[in-house]
Every structure is written in C-alpha cells, then in structure tokens.
Amino acid sequence: MFKRFISILLIIATLLTTVMSLGGCSTQNNASLSIGQWLMMVDEAFGMQSYTSDEPYFSNIKSDNPYFAAVQIAAEWDVIDKEKSVDVNEKLTWKEALITLTNVGNFTDTDATDDEKISYAINNFDKSIRSYWMNRVISPEKAVSLLSIAQKKWANKEYDHIIE
C-alpha cells in the first residue's frame, strides 16, 4: 500500500513539473516538443538519472549539446535505438512518443518491431490513437498525457514472479 502511495505521489509531482515547464509553450502558435525535450521528460518521469559512457552514442550529439545527458541515458536504458540516428531538435512525432514509452516501460519484448510497439501502445495507452498519425507532430498536452498513462502502467506493473 505504501509503495502505491509513493508511486502516486511521484506521478503527481512529475505531472505538475511537466505541466509547469510547458506553460510557456502555449504562447507559441505551433506548440511542439523536440525529441531532446521529450527524452528529458521521459528520463525524469521514469527516474533515470545517470549514464556510464562519456563517449557519445550519436556522432551528431556531442557532450556540449544541452540534450547530451538525456540522449546518453535514453540510449543506455534502451529507450532509444543506438543503431538509428537521432536529431534532438526535430519535432516529436506520435511514432517516436509511442515507441519510446513502450521501450522505457519494457512493455514488449526487446526484439519487437516498431509496428508491434506502436500497436501495443495504441491498445494499452489510448485506443483513440490512429495508426495514420504516426508521422504527425504530437502536441505537448497529448505527449504529457501519454507519458502519465505509461508511467502509471509501469508503476503498477504486475510480474509473474517475485521481484526483490
């Protein structure tokens, strides 16, 4: 019971922090998140705070990049694929949001395809999402909502065997 209480408090704190940090986005006409911003949010929401390799996983993201730590953490925790290129300044699409959330929660097998991960996310996070949206930019509000859903699902994940 105490663990659930703590997880609920963490979820609420993360959501409030995220919503407050996105407050300035409403003044822009086309509010959107960059992939770098998204990875920072995902890392924070799931408590991923450190990385081990100072060697960049992506040649275009050097240590002086403001998103370097977020990318290194996401790569080491298998949130993003180290074999694919990443542009941290690119706008976040539905596809990237759904895949990263499925990866961060370990909701599918590690060898699942992107389509399988997207299918899982649609069926388990929000059935109103349409598969033809994948290349569209996701709004910050929708991204935060999906992040919250994935975080709750991850925090309340049930296992087949005892995890200690």
Side-chain angles (χ1 to χ4, degrees):
M1 184 68 174
F2 184 69
K3 288 182 182 180
R4 282 189 189 222
F5 178 73
I6 294 295
S7 69
I8 290 171
L9 282 177
L10 288 172
I11 290 169
I12 291 170
T14 302
L15 286 176
L16 287 175
T17 303
T18 303
V19 170
M20 290 172 59
S21 69
L22 294 175
C25 293
S26 63
T27 60
Q28 301 172 357
N29 289 345
N30 295 325
S32 62
L33 293 170
S34 70
I35 291 175
Q37 291 170 320
W38 174 246
L39 292 176
M40 289 176 73
M41 290 170 56
V42 170
D43 291 351
E44 181 180 332
F46 283 83
M48 298 179 292
Q49 301 174 351
S50 62
Y51 58 91
T52 56
S53 176
D54 289 329
E55 184 69 31
Y57 288 104
F58 304 95
S59 61
N60 62 325
I61 305 169
K62 304 289 185 211
S63 61
D64 61 345
N65 188 301
Y67 301 117
F68 178 76
V71 170
Q72 291 292 102
I73 292 168
E76 288 184 5
W77 288 79
D78 296 324
V79 176
I80 57 176
D81 188 347
K82 292 179 231 175
E83 304 301 317
K84 295 181 181 177
S85 64
V86 173
D87 181 355
V88 292
N89 298 313
E90 197 173 287
K91 291 182 179 184
L92 179 68
T93 64
W94 281 91
K95 179 179 181 176
E96 288 140 350
L98 295 177
I99 290 172
T100 55
L101 291 176
T102 304
N103 288 344
V104 74
N106 292 317
F107 294 120
T108 60
D109 292 333
T110 54
D111 60 344
T113 66
D114 285 355
D115 288 338
E116 291 170 332
K117 292 174 184 180
I118 290 167
S119 178
Y120 175 88
I122 290 171
N123 290 327
N124 292 278
F125 299 160
D126 185 350
K127 291 184 187 229
S128 69
I129 298 170
R130 300 294 170 240
S131 58
Y132 57 85
W133 294 355
M134 293 307 106
N135 292 323
R136 293 182 183 176
V137 173
I138 186 172
S139 71
E141 296 81 14
K142 291 288 188 181
V144 169
S145 175
L146 282 174
L147 180 60
S148 173
I149 292 167
Q151 189 180 37
K152 286 177 189 173
K153 191 164 192 57
W154 173 75
N156 295 313
K157 191 173 184 178
E158 293 183 9
Y159 296 90
D160 297 333
H161 56 283
I162 296 175
I163 307 286
E164 292 278 341

